[in-house]
Amino acid sequence: METPARQLRPAPPGPWGVVIALAVMGAWGGHLAWALTRAELPWAEPLTWLHVALQAWLCTGLFITGHDAMHGTVSGRRWVNEAVGTVACFLFAGLSYRRLVVNHRAHHARPTSEDDPDFSTRSQSFWPWLGTFMARYTTLPQIGVMAAKFNVLLFLGVSQPHILVFWVLPSVLGTLQLFYFGTYLPHRRPETPDMAPHHARTLPRNHLWALLSCFFFGYHWEHHESPGTPWWRLWRLKDARAREAALTQAPSSPLSGQEGATR
């Protein structure tokens, strides 16, 4: 029988949770609207593709905001979390927030087991696992919502190339980013002792890379250790774990050894 995971008690959600959630959602929407209406962005310019990369990163942040709402870390009020999560998941890819909550609870309950909807027990290779993951989460209503969004943008006069480059492509890249850094890398086998008891590994401590790669979601052991900690505080758990490991591994000083020998 597995030892139950020790859960840290996070700080209560403060006003910053809502502020940061709205800032991420606003940045995603504002940058997308700007990119879709900027006809003078030439396809051959590197700056254009930097905007694509930025929009993909903001798409990742949009889903991470919805994910935090599932754990109640956006606000201390349940209805605020549900509202933010519903809007964020809908904007990200027409996803059902309620369905995601059920699946995500199952993931945290038994990670990497046959009951984990995020895990592939058949193959640990990237593409087969991704295919299984997408098949489990893609629904006909979601496809209908995304098709409706596409046609609404066309109706509003946005050119199809702009829709494909600045909306569709960043959404796909953001999905791949979330899967790679938030599911595949943290949970793939073989497992190592440092993954216990959550069956999750974590990125090396480089806070800038952790932010750019997946909004600190690559600090995945820390997330499973304390699901009630919002994404923007996970770096603190990473630092605390590093300090604890350093203290545990620190050799005793020569002075303490001499004192022990004279006793």
Side-chain angles (χ1 to χ4, degrees), residues 173-222:
L173 293 176
T175 300
L176 292 175
Q177 190 171 0
L178 285 162
F179 174 76
Y180 184 74
F181 289 103
T183 298
Y184 178 72
L185 282 185
H187 294 296
R188 66 176 177 173
R189 293 170 178 164
E191 291 200 7
T192 53
D194 62 307
M195 295 172 65
H198 307 296
H199 307 280
R201 61 176 58 85
T202 192
L203 282 176
R205 189 171 55 158
N206 183 317
H207 296 330
L208 178 59
W209 172 241
L211 173 62
L212 294 177
S213 61
C214 203
F215 286 78
F216 298 117
F217 205 47
Y219 292 164
H220 211 73
W221 188 96
E222 288 76 10

Side-chain angles (χ1 to χ4, degrees), residues 38-232:
R38 296 284 290 188
E40 62 270 22
L41 285 173
W43 305 122
E45 289 291 332
L47 182 61
T48 299
W49 300 102
L50 284 177
H51 281 295
V52 172
L54 174 60
Q55 188 62 28
W57 182 71
L58 291 172
C59 283
T60 301
L62 187 64
F63 182 84
I64 294 297
T65 299
H67 164 269
D68 268 17
M70 297 177 206
H71 288 289
T73 61
V74 171
S75 170
R77 299 178 182 270
R78 181 176 178 180
W79 71 267
V80 175
N81 287 299
E82 291 184 349
V84 169
T86 299
V87 173
C89 293
F90 179 83
L91 292 176
F92 176 74
L95 296 168
S96 167
Y97 174 72
R98 294 185 181 275
R99 184 168 180 265
L100 286 174
V101 169
V102 172
N103 286 336
H104 198 61
R105 285 175 179 171
H107 166 68
H108 273 269
R110 295 193 64 191
T112 73
S113 72
E114 292 184 355
D115 299 326
D116 182 358
D118 293 0
F119 190 70
S120 172
T121 57
R122 293 185 177 181
S123 175
Q124 294 292 287
S125 298
F126 178 83
W127 293 110
W129 187 346
L130 175 63
T132 301
F133 183 86
M134 296 301 294
R136 288 173 179 168
Y137 279 94
T138 304
T139 64
L140 289 176
Q142 177 198 2
I143 294 174
V145 167
M146 298 303 286
K149 289 182 180 180
F150 190 94
N151 283 281
V152 167
L153 291 174
L154 286 176
F155 177 78
L156 293 176
V158 181
S159 69
Q160 184 167 314
H162 274 67
I163 297 174
L164 293 173
V165 171
F166 294 112
W167 181 57
V168 175
L169 180 58
S171 297
V172 172
L173 293 176
T175 300
L176 292 175
Q177 190 171 0
L178 285 162
F179 174 76
Y180 184 74
F181 289 103
T183 298
Y184 178 72
L185 282 185
H187 294 296
R188 66 176 177 173
R189 293 170 178 164
E191 291 200 7
T192 53
D194 62 307
M195 295 172 65
H198 307 296
H199 307 280
R201 61 176 58 85
T202 192
L203 282 176
R205 189 171 55 158
N206 183 317
H207 296 330
L208 178 59
W209 172 241
L211 173 62
L212 294 177
S213 61
C214 203
F215 286 78
F216 298 117
F217 205 47
Y219 292 164
H220 211 73
W221 188 96
E222 288 76 10
H223 168 60
H224 277 262
E225 176 74 359
S226 180
T229 297
W231 68 263
W232 43 276

